Amino acid sequence: MKALIIGVSLLALTPSAWAMSDPAAKAPTAEKKEKKEADANRIICRRDRVIGSRLATKETCATAAEWAEMRAEQRRTTERVQTNRPKVSQ
C-alpha cells in the first residue's frame, strides 16, 4: 500500500511533457489555416434523434461550410427573436 501511495505521489510531482512544451508551438500555423479552409468542402454527416421515438434517427449530411452557415443563421434568428420581444403592458 505504501509503494502505491509513493508511486502515485511521485507520478503527480513529475512534470509532464505537455506542461513543459512551448505554447508558441501550439499556435495555428499557415499550413493549418490552409488545411482548415480546404476542409470547408468536406462532407460531415450527423445523426439526430427523431422526437417521439426511442430508436429512430435521421441522418443529415452537409459540407462543413454549410454547417457553419446553418449555425450562423440559427444564431442570428435567436438574437432577432430575443431583441424583438413584445412589450407586456401592466
Side-chain angles (χ1 to χ4, degrees), residues 15-80:
S16 61
W18 65 268
M20 304 275 298
S21 66
D22 183 23
K26 295 180 183 178
T29 62
E31 293 176 5
K32 289 182 182 178
K33 289 180 183 178
E34 290 175 5
K35 186 177 180 183
K36 193 173 187 177
E37 291 173 1
D39 288 345
N41 292 326
R42 78 176 192 278
I43 301 292
I44 301 172
C45 294
R46 189 175 80 182
R47 289 184 183 261
D48 295 322
R49 291 183 181 172
V50 176
I51 295 176
S53 174
R54 291 188 303 153
L55 304 174
T57 60
K58 177 184 171 188
E59 185 174 32
T60 307
C61 297
T63 64
E66 290 172 336
W67 284 115
E69 180 58 34
M70 283 187 243
R71 281 192 307 274
E73 180 62 31
Q74 290 169 353
R75 189 178 322 114
R76 285 191 296 267
T77 302
T78 301
E79 289 174 359
R80 188 182 71 241

Side-chain angles (χ1 to χ4, degrees), residues 7-19:
V8 170
S9 59
L10 287 176
L11 184 61
L13 295 175
T14 313
S16 61
W18 65 268

